[in-house]
């Protein structure tokens, strides 16, 4: 998270094209983190249920 804040602070020093590219990269990184978190959450739910019921 701190790296993203540093990137956004540095963003004001770049030209318009680099700003757009940096924002696209930051947005992509945020989407990938959200996707990974969602996948982990969806996998952990059934895994916990299998552990408690003893299903292999």
């Amino acid at each position: 998270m701190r790296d993203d804040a540093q990137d956004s602070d540095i963003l004001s020093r770049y030209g318009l094209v680099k700003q757009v590219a940096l924002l696209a990269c930051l947005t992509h990184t945020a989407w990938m983190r959200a996707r990974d978190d969602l996948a982990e959450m969806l996998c952990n739910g059934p895994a916990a249920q299998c552990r408690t019921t003893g299903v292999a």
Side-chain angles (χ1 to χ4, degrees):
M1 222 32 165
R2 189 182 314 173
D3 294 335
D4 294 344
Q6 289 173 349
D7 287 342
S8 61
D9 178 45
I10 294 172
L11 191 61
S12 63
R13 300 179 196 161
Y14 291 134
L16 182 61
V17 174
K18 279 193 176 182
Q19 286 180 356
V20 171
L22 248 174
L23 283 174
C25 289
L26 290 172
T27 303
H28 177 72
T29 301
W31 274 100
M32 294 305 105
R33 285 180 186 162
R35 182 203 63 197
D36 292 346
D37 289 347
L38 179 62
E40 183 180 351
M41 182 175 54
L42 291 174
C43 290
N44 285 339
Q49 210 169 25
C50 287
R51 279 193 302 269
T52 58
T53 60
V55 177

